[in-house]
Amino acid sequence: MHAGINRMKTWILIAALGGIFVLIGAWLGGTSGAVVALGIALVFNFSMYWFSDKIAIATTHSKPVTEEEYPQLCQIVRELAELDQMPMPKIYVSDMMQPNAFATGRSPQHASVAVTKGVLQILDDRELRGVLAHELSHVRNRDILIGSVAAAIGMSIVLLSRFAFFFGGGDDNRGGGIGMLFGWLLAPIAAAVIQMAVSRSREYQADESGAYLSHDPAALASALRKLEVATKQVPAPASVSPAEAHLFIMNPLAGRRGSGFGNLFSTHPPTEQRIERLQAIARDLGTQIA
């Protein structure tokens, strides 16, 4: 039920984000501009539907792995997939040294789960299992596609608003240079705020679903504590864009200098709040979190 409610809210937010995109197009070129912007948004959505997993995997320098290379990793994913009665996803390992993980794909039948080399170095097997249960819950909750669509629209709004700033004309009824500057600033902010709301609800739900799937909320809480510290110490590579940050279990841009306005545009809930929710689940399961 919670997953269904979150999906409904997410689609409403994405529709609002798409509406902003069309409004920017209308501001640039009236009715024809709105139509062109809508067409571009549809192309982006179609492309992200079919290629979102490939794009995320490419930007994180992830490579497919075999059970011979990473037996424990593959065993954990297989066990969790069987427990959740879902198809075995493709497994990737990213060259990123920042400890993190993400899931991508358009459906449970076309899903991929990736972990970074950094996360394999700092988490023990229990913590890794908790993180992978979280990521498989994103797949089960069918919100990995929604996140990819939100990322696509967010990126396109940023590009279009900057196009307006550099190439917009001096039409008085559109505010001239001041209007272009306002649009250049407002559109990315609107995209970031709506995308933040999408991601935060999804992360809470994946934490909850993952905790029940693994039956070990303490392991996920322990992993989140480690990742909170490590992601601030080891920055993500420049190829990871803000529009993709919400795909990860922990904000990969937390350690990147000059990345924006801090927590206002964070794509993830505060880690302590996530752990508090996991503590409540632990009590429900009759376990404890230190």
Side-chain angles (χ1 to χ4, degrees), residues 116-164:
T116 68
K117 288 184 176 179
V119 90
L120 294 175
Q121 291 180 359
I122 72 167
L123 300 186
D124 61 30
D125 288 347
R126 272 189 63 210
E127 293 165 338
L128 179 61
R129 188 172 183 269
V131 166
L132 291 169
H134 169 102
E135 295 305 331
L136 289 181
S137 292
H138 274 311
V139 176
R140 168 58 64 192
N141 295 342
R142 295 178 180 271
D143 57 18
I144 51 176
L145 171 62
I146 295 171
S148 296
V149 172
I153 298 177
M155 286 188 291
S156 57
I157 284 180
V158 172
L159 291 173
L160 186 59
S161 62
R162 290 176 182 176
F163 178 85

Side-chain angles (χ1 to χ4, degrees), residues 43-95:
V43 169
F44 264 78
N45 288 346
F46 179 82
S47 299
M48 291 301 291
Y49 180 86
W50 290 104
F51 306 116
S52 60
D53 55 342
K54 295 179 176 61
I55 294 171
I57 287 166
T59 57
T60 55
H61 307 289
S62 300
K63 300 175 183 177
V65 297
T66 64
E67 193 148 4
E68 290 73 21
E69 295 173 301
Y70 292 91
Q72 189 64 16
L73 171 63
C74 294
Q75 180 181 338
I76 293 172
V77 174
R78 180 178 293 103
E79 174 194 344
L80 292 171
E82 290 176 354
L83 282 174
D84 213 19
Q85 298 181 343
M86 62 177 291
M88 179 73 173
K90 297 177 183 177
I91 304 174
Y92 289 81
V93 171
S94 167
D95 288 337

